[in-house]
Amino acid sequence: MTRTAPQFLFDFGSPNAYLSHLAIPAIEQRIGVKFEYVPILLGGIFKATNNKSPAETLAGVRNKREFQQVETERFIKRFKVQPYVFNPHFPVNTLNLMRTAIAAQLEGVFEKYVDAAFHHMWREPKKMDDPEVAAKALASSGLDAQKLFARAGEPEVKGKLIKNTEEAVARGAFGSPTFFVGNEMFFGKEQLREVEEMVSGK
């Protein structure tokens, strides 16, 4: 039986996408299928769907932020992952980081780049929308930052990120992390259990 590869639509600006990224390898081992990572621009999705970040939507809502913290702690315990370190520069404009993710796909260093960008956003957080800071961080992770940034400015790369984002919205996405198994959509890191169950046929 050929199992459908689940898709992971992500933006580095989402700490929940980072936690999902940490949880995915163990899930891949259990289901015997690799996730397909799809870079999207969260800002573009928010604009197209009239959505807002949790920082805005949770503001002033009694108990909701506290519950989300409990939910995150449960996720960390269940999937045995490290918690993220809050980025003091949040919100970080991720446009260039996400374009560079497309460039990294073309350059054949996508997995290494994704690990590095998430690390420098949510493990050892830095102001990753500052080109100099980002270049230094990525270089420290063994990547040719200047080469990747140069490709990130190419029309083909910019167009691909726009296309990914528009297609995500057309399929029903309104935030990150979003997962698809075929045409079935799942939103939020907590849905990874359902994604695993669906791929496993449980």
Side-chain angles (χ1 to χ4, degrees):
M1 182 182 78
T2 303
R3 290 178 173 173
T4 303
Q7 292 179 307
F8 171 38
L9 280 57
F10 73 97
D11 183 303
F12 296 118
S14 166
N16 287 324
Y18 168 69
L19 291 176
S20 299
H21 172 65
L22 295 183
I24 282 171
I27 297 172
E28 289 177 331
Q29 275 199 319
R30 288 194 294 269
I31 63 177
V33 180
K34 292 277 283 182
F35 277 64
E36 178 193 349
Y37 277 55
V38 182
I40 49 92
L41 185 65
L42 191 52
I45 284 185
F46 281 174
K47 190 173 180 181
T49 60
N50 200 31
N51 195 5
K52 293 180 175 65
S53 72
E56 291 180 83
T57 58
L58 297 183
V61 181
R62 187 177 177 183
N63 298 329
K64 193 172 181 182
R65 188 184 297 276
E66 289 80 1
F67 173 72
Q68 286 220 325
Q69 184 57 41
V70 170
E71 202 170 46
T72 295
E73 287 167 6
R74 288 176 185 155
F75 181 92
I76 288 166
K77 188 175 179 182
R78 180 184 303 118
F79 288 99
K80 299 178 177 63
V81 297
Q82 288 185 312
Y84 65 85
V85 178
F86 184 75
N87 193 314
H89 308 289
F90 189 82
V92 174
N93 184 329
T94 57
L95 176 60
N96 200 45
L97 284 178
M98 299 317 301
R99 284 175 174 168
T100 307
I102 303 288
Q105 286 181 319
L106 298 174
E107 289 292 325
V109 292
F110 184 61
E111 287 188 20
K112 187 174 183 178
Y113 174 77
V114 169
D115 280 341
F118 268 131
H119 178 84
H120 294 295
M121 274 290 293
W122 299 111
R123 191 70 228 150
E124 294 181 30
K126 300 171 182 67
K127 187 171 170 52
M128 292 296 284
D129 50 5
D130 181 322
E132 286 187 23
V133 171
K136 188 175 178 182
L138 295 172
S140 75
S141 295
L143 289 155
D144 188 337
Q146 298 307 328
K147 185 178 184 182
L148 290 172
F149 285 171
R151 287 217 73 171
E154 293 176 3
E156 174 195 2
V157 170
K158 293 179 179 179
K160 177 61 175 169
L161 182 61
I162 291 169
K163 185 170 184 281
N164 283 1
T165 303
E166 289 177 344
E167 285 180 353
V169 171
R171 294 175 75 190
F174 52 84
S176 171
T178 295
F179 308 93
F180 282 96
V181 181
N183 291 321
E184 291 285 333
M185 187 181 97
F186 302 85
F187 173 72
K189 65 184 183 300
E190 294 78 18
Q191 295 287 304
L192 269 172
R193 282 185 298 176
E194 281 72 17
V195 170
E196 181 172 350
E197 285 174 6
M198 177 165 273
V199 176
S200 300
K202 291 181 181 176

